[in-house]
Amino acid sequence: MNIAVTSSPPSPGSRVVKGACPHDCPDTCALRITVEDGRVVKVQGQPDHPSTHGALCTKVSRYAERTYHPERLLQPLRRVSRKDEPPRFEPVSWEAALSDIASRLGRIAARDPQAILPYSYAGTMGMLQGEAMAGRFFNRIGASQLDRTICASAGAAALTATYGHKLGMHLPHFAESRLVLIWGSNSIASNLHFWTYANKAKREGAKLICIDPRKTETADKCHQHIALLPGTDGALALGLMHELTTNGWLDTDYISRYVDGWDELREKALAWPPERVAEVCGISADEVRGLARDYATTAPAAIRLNYGMQRVRGGGNAVRLIALLPCLTGAWKHRAGGLLLSSSGWFAPYKNPMLERPDLMTVKAPRVINMSTIGDELNRESSPEFGPRIEAVIVYNSNPVAVAPESPKVVKGFARADLFTVVLEHFMTDTADLADYVLPATTQMEHLDVHTSYGHTDVLINEPAVAPLGQAKSNTQIFRELAAACGFDDAAFLDSDEQLARQAFTDAIDFDALQQRGWQSLPLREAPFAEGGFLTGSGRADARGADYVPNYESATSTPELAARYPLAMISPPARNFLNSSFVNVKSLRDIEGEPLVEIHADDAAARGLADGAMVRVFNDRGSYLSRLHVSGRARPGVVNGLGVWWRKLGAEGTNVNELTHQRLTDMGKAPSFYDCLVEVAPA
Ligand SMILES: Nc1nc2c(c(=O)[nH]1)N[C@H]1C(S)=C(S)[C@@H](COP(=O)(O)OP(=O)(O)OC[C@H]3O[C@@H](n4cnc5c(=O)[nH]c(N)nc54)[C@H](O)[C@@H]3O)O[C@H]1N2
Ligand SMILES: Nc1nc2c(c(=O)[nH]1)N[C@H]1C(S)=C(S)[C@@H](COP(=O)(O)OP(=O)(O)OC[C@H]3O[C@@H](n4cnc5c(=O)[nH]c(N)nc54)[C@H](O)[C@@H]3O)O[C@H]1N2
Ligand SMILES: [Mo]
């Protein structure tokens, strides 16, 4: 495993700063940042933070390389070329940039402020550099609101429907499980600090089973790998319920006390015998039977479900069905049994709902734009249903031109001559290339922040380690100054970062103690649902209405389309990138090599394709040039297009999102990135 474990003492004259990893990852590691002469020289994991235990992933141990990257944006830039020309920018002062941006936004707002749209996601997961000051600004100006759906909202809606909130097992307890299902997650790549606990369980004799269309690094290390077809997890869950029912493996006492709607769901499950499941999932009936037996007869049994499996049309229902499994076997009765998809709901009672100051909102019930369909939204005209055409977009903490689905439409939207785009960034990303103004933002080494997590249950602080580089400013400071340039004199815009940090939580999280220690664990119930206590209105887990929903695109749901595009494409993360972040860090890009697509030997042979060939992956939406990797990691019928590369670093200025579509999941209005048919041909 390529993790960096180091805890050498600081040399004399150096300083150690308490940090938190800002990236969109369930691990939210506590950092130990060593500074010498005002410069970060080392980024390590905090040895005493339980889940970090002194170890970082390869990416974040290179955080200094990213911070001091020669291509860091260090001054504000104004566009001088047209949007349909290669991008050219000139440096401009902060004063000139902010005053021009304020006057252009002011003119749009005078017509209709809802023509202004913020576009942000989790480039940093920090509460301050995320939405604390940005939210205040957009509320005050009266902008459209953004529905932040691009990653997790199908699973979030499903967990909330089933358990009443985004809650699950506590991370450390996985180490005591006897059976761990790693379902839709390449933990070693994307959730390394969970893997440590799973590996501990393995060493103590637990069985590990990976459920994933791709034979990942994680599948390599599990005892068993079930390589189902993408988007068929709901069918597998129903098949498991069939077996639990017909073999008498249900915990009828737990169900009768703590589950609503099982009678209805049981009827549906009985229609899914292993043979039918096998056909839909592309696996064997014995795999279904064996999995059911292991799950029902091993205790405690834990499921690490992750977001990889909910990026398909039926992602929400699949999460619901899987989340019900531990309610049917009573696995929740043990603290090392149950399921974890997200722990973020545990923080809800500790967060200040007023941090982003919804009371400043100047437009009553502004319209909501879904970030996952930004390609379509930017290309819409004004209409009574839609409202005003989008005239300005302020992008921060996100790189939509690379990460949003169906990028041909996203590019077309951002390339509109009449769209005013401001991008707050560290680097000249694909999105920044299409901006009118690019504003240099600080990195996690240069600003204060506070963090929660969606994998563990600790609050963390990130102290600034060094002064901002060049003329970079933090997101909070940029929105503060933009508010001033717009003439907003509300006191809310005068709060310093430390004041924001002190406002972020209720009194139960003491900021001074956080500064002292670096992190604070939430007090938690050991086995949260041992006696029900779900956060649904009834206190019971809710099974009503859950059912398998087939993909938008598959051999069974769209046979005509599948005749032209017979391969299902998934596009999970590349291990050494974080979404599109780090793609420009050379040492990491060198490990990944180049954009590649993995294919099974039979599918390659049927197309006369050789390992290492350049191929065109295509469908009706677009075409993507990529290196072919004939690989045991791909199952028949499925190709794996790894990573969200920067378009401009790809072979023809495209990436995998050239092929994905904008249709939304059954719950939570999320994108269905992994529900996508393609064909592969020689380039
Ligand atoms: N190194 C690295 N770490 C990351 C990220 C990154 O880009 N790089 N991204 C971060 C982010 S934003 C997120 S949301 C999390 C995501 O973390 P996870 O939810 O754990 O997702 P991934 O590691 O993307 O793993 C998804 C796995 O799901 C599999 N998969 C795809 N389709 C299906 C399906 O239909 N069913 C099943 N059962 N499996 C399927 C893929 O093959 C892949 O191995 O990771 C975070 N951590
Ligand atoms: N095909 C396909 N597409 C995907 C996925 C997939 O698996 N397959 N995964 C999806 C998922 S799970 C997610 S979460 C999204 C992620 O999509 P994004 O949230 O857009 O994530 P990144 O690509 O990492 O881009 C984040 C940007 O924020 C910038 N940034 C970081 N910190 C700061 C800061 O403090 N201030 C400012 N101003 N900028 C900062 C970084 O430099 C980076 O360019 O992508 C989605 N897209
Ligand atoms: Mo994500």
Side-chain angles (χ1 to χ4, degrees):
M1 238 190 308
N2 53 342
I3 51 174
V5 187
T6 34
S7 56
S8 48
S11 58
S14 72
R15 205 160 54 84
V16 171
V17 180
K18 295 183 186 73
C21 177
H23 287 297
D24 187 351
C25 169
D27 295 15
T28 313
C29 292
L31 304 182
R32 184 177 188 277
I33 301 158
T34 310
V35 181
E36 282 172 15
D37 301 326
R39 198 178 161 89
V40 174
V41 293
K42 214 183 289 172
V43 178
Q44 298 164 287
Q46 279 290 359
D48 62 341
H49 180 248
S51 59
T52 307
H53 62 80
L56 293 181
C57 67
T58 318
K59 301 178 293 299
V60 176
S61 55
R62 312 274 169 98
Y63 206 86
E65 189 184 342
R66 187 177 185 277
T67 298
Y68 297 110
H69 195 293
E71 289 159 15
R72 257 299 289 282
L73 293 166
L74 298 175
Q75 55 190 345
L77 299 173
R78 175 166 57 204
R79 182 178 208 90
V80 292
S81 58
R82 290 202 326 251
K83 295 276 173 82
D84 58 358
E85 290 173 349
R88 273 180 295 118
F89 290 86
E90 64 180 14
V92 56
S93 71
W94 271 108
E95 295 67 34
L98 292 175
S99 113
D100 191 32
I101 295 167
S103 76
R104 299 206 41 183
L105 295 180
R107 285 203 296 275
I108 296 169
R111 290 193 298 276
D112 189 339
Q114 297 195 60
I116 300 169
L117 179 71
Y119 195 99
S120 67
Y121 200 63
T124 168
M125 304 265 307
M127 291 171 75
L128 308 193
Q129 308 308 332
E131 306 304 328
M133 199 45 93
R136 295 176 182 198
F137 177 79
F138 292 110
N139 285 335
R140 174 65 178 79
I141 203 167
S144 289
Q145 293 198 322
L146 187 72
D147 198 1
R148 293 184 171 81
T149 56
I150 201 148
C151 170
S153 62
L159 269 195
T160 304
T162 314
Y163 299 159
H165 215 309
K166 292 177 279 178
L167 303 172
M169 281 176 66
H170 306 318
L171 187 60
H173 298 163
F174 277 89
E176 301 160 16
S177 306
R178 301 297 300 163
L179 175 74
V180 182
L181 307 188
I182 301 182
W183 198 324
S185 176
N186 183 7
S187 314
I188 291 179
S190 66
N191 189 190
L192 187 58
H193 296 78
F194 157 75
W195 175 255
T196 311
Y197 294 104
N199 204 25
K200 185 149 181 255
K202 184 183 171 188
R203 281 200 304 272
E204 313 226 321
K207 181 171 184 180
L208 269 52
I209 303 177
C210 179
I211 304 172
D212 192 314
R214 177 169 184 253
K215 188 167 185 299
T216 59
E217 302 92 317
T218 310
D220 289 342
K221 295 267 185 345
C222 288
H223 297 97
Q224 191 187 347
H225 172 217
I226 298 178
L228 79 184
L229 287 167
T232 62
D233 303 85
L236 178 57
L238 284 165
L240 298 180
M241 291 178 191
H242 178 280
E243 293 299 286
L244 297 180
T245 308
T246 55
N247 289 291
W249 288 329
L250 297 166
D251 184 334
T252 47
D253 179 57
Y254 191 95
I255 295 172
S256 67
R257 287 170 194 252
Y258 306 129
V259 182
D260 275 335
W262 168 239
D263 288 348
E264 172 203 316
L265 182 55
R266 184 182 50 217
E267 294 312 308
K268 291 177 195 159
L270 288 174
W272 286 91
E275 288 69 22
R276 181 179 175 204
V277 176
E279 201 178 313
V280 170
C281 298
I283 56 177
S284 72
D286 281 344
E287 284 174 293
V288 183
R289 286 192 200 96
L291 180 63
R293 176 173 296 279
D294 280 339
Y295 186 64
T297 61
T298 318
I303 301 176
R304 179 54 166 126
L305 191 62
N306 225 322
Y307 289 105
M309 48 70 63
Q310 44 102 69
R311 308 194 201 292
V312 292
R313 181 188 190 176
N317 269 278
V319 169
R320 288 200 69 188
L321 292 166
I322 295 165
L324 287 162
L325 292 170
C327 304
L328 303 181
T329 59
W332 281 118
K333 291 196 288 200
H334 194 291
R335 72 175 194 171
L339 172 141
L340 175 63
L341 171 59
S342 172
S343 60
S344 59
W346 295 118
F347 295 93
Y350 300 92
K351 282 185 169 177
N352 172 6
M354 296 306 285
L355 182 63
E356 295 163 30
R357 297 294 303 270
D359 56 305
L360 291 177
M361 230 182 256
T362 47
V363 170
K364 229 199 252 168
R367 76 167 162 189
V368 179
I369 299 283
N370 189 335
M371 71 187 301
S372 301
T373 50
I374 190 66
D376 281 342
E377 311 302 345
L378 287 178
N379 291 299
R380 276 189 225 286
E381 299 295 337
S382 302
S383 72
E385 308 77 57
F386 181 60
R389 182 164 166 85
I390 296 168
E391 293 182 58
V393 187
I394 321 291
V395 180
Y396 51 104
N397 304 341
S398 184
N399 183 12
V401 171
V403 305
E406 203 173 1
S407 34
K409 290 187 178 162
V410 183
V411 172
K412 181 168 176 251
F414 276 103
R416 271 171 45 197
D418 63 341
L419 183 73
F420 179 62
T421 304
V422 179
V423 175
L424 284 57
E425 252 301 347
H426 301 150
F427 294 106
M428 212 60 205
T429 59
D430 293 320
T431 308
D433 276 346
L434 287 167
D436 293 275
Y437 279 98
V438 181
L439 303 178
T442 48
T443 70
Q444 191 77 343
M445 304 292 107
E446 302 150 66
H447 55 229
L448 175 70
D449 220 325
V450 288
H451 288 254
T452 60
S453 167
Y454 60 99
H456 60 67
T457 43
D458 304 331
V459 173
L460 284 83
I461 190 170
N462 180 76
E463 299 268 21
V466 294
L469 266 61
Q471 297 179 36
K473 292 182 197 273
S474 62
N475 291 346
T476 45
Q477 184 60 17
I478 296 172
F479 283 107
R480 231 177 246 125
E481 293 185 15
L482 191 55
C486 287
F488 302 157
D489 55 8
D490 314 67
F493 295 113
L494 300 177
D495 286 337
S496 67
D497 280 7
E498 184 177 327
Q499 284 168 315
L500 292 173
R502 288 181 182 277
Q503 291 164 23
F505 298 102
T506 63
D507 292 343
I509 308 288
D510 180 55
F511 182 75
D512 299 306
L514 206 54
Q515 276 190 312
Q516 284 296 313
R517 186 156 185 221
W519 51 275
Q520 182 183 330
S521 300
L522 302 184
L524 294 165
R525 273 183 290 167
E526 280 271 289
F529 307 131
E531 290 166 51
F534 295 97
L535 270 70
T536 51
S538 63
R540 295 151 62 92
D542 192 348
R544 290 170 301 175
D547 204 351
Y548 167 62
V549 178
N551 276 2
Y552 283 114
E553 301 190 350
S554 72
T556 41
S557 52
T558 50
E560 280 167 35
L561 190 71
R564 286 191 291 140
Y565 303 117
L567 297 168
M569 185 191 75
I570 57 172
S571 47
R575 179 172 181 176
N576 294 288
F577 301 151
L578 204 129
N579 302 317
S580 79
S581 297
F582 294 99
V583 180
N584 62 325
V585 174
K586 187 163 182 312
S587 66
L588 293 169
R589 194 168 68 245
D590 286 347
I591 306 175
E592 291 297 329
E594 59 187 329
L596 61 83
V597 59
E598 296 171 342
I599 194 167
H600 187 269
D602 294 349
D603 290 324
R607 290 163 179 78
L609 299 169
D611 185 44
M614 282 306 278
V615 292
R616 209 159 59 81
V617 187
F618 62 101
N619 58 24
D620 287 341
R621 292 176 287 271
S623 157
Y624 170 50
L625 194 65
S626 178
R627 181 77 63 189
L628 191 72
H629 196 175
V630 178
S631 166
R633 298 212 179 280
R635 59 152 287 157
V638 180
V639 293
N640 312 319
L642 295 185
V644 188
W645 281 71
W646 282 18
R647 289 166 62 85
K648 59 183 166 184
L649 296 176
E652 270 181 335
T654 56
N655 73 13
V656 77
N657 279 320
E658 203 72 8
L659 307 172
T660 52
H661 57 73
Q662 296 179 70
R663 280 169 285 181
L664 302 175
T665 51
D666 54 348
M667 303 174 73
K669 298 183 187 151
S672 24
F673 288 114
Y674 304 166
D675 180 339
C676 176
L677 288 178
V678 301
E679 180 54 294
V680 180

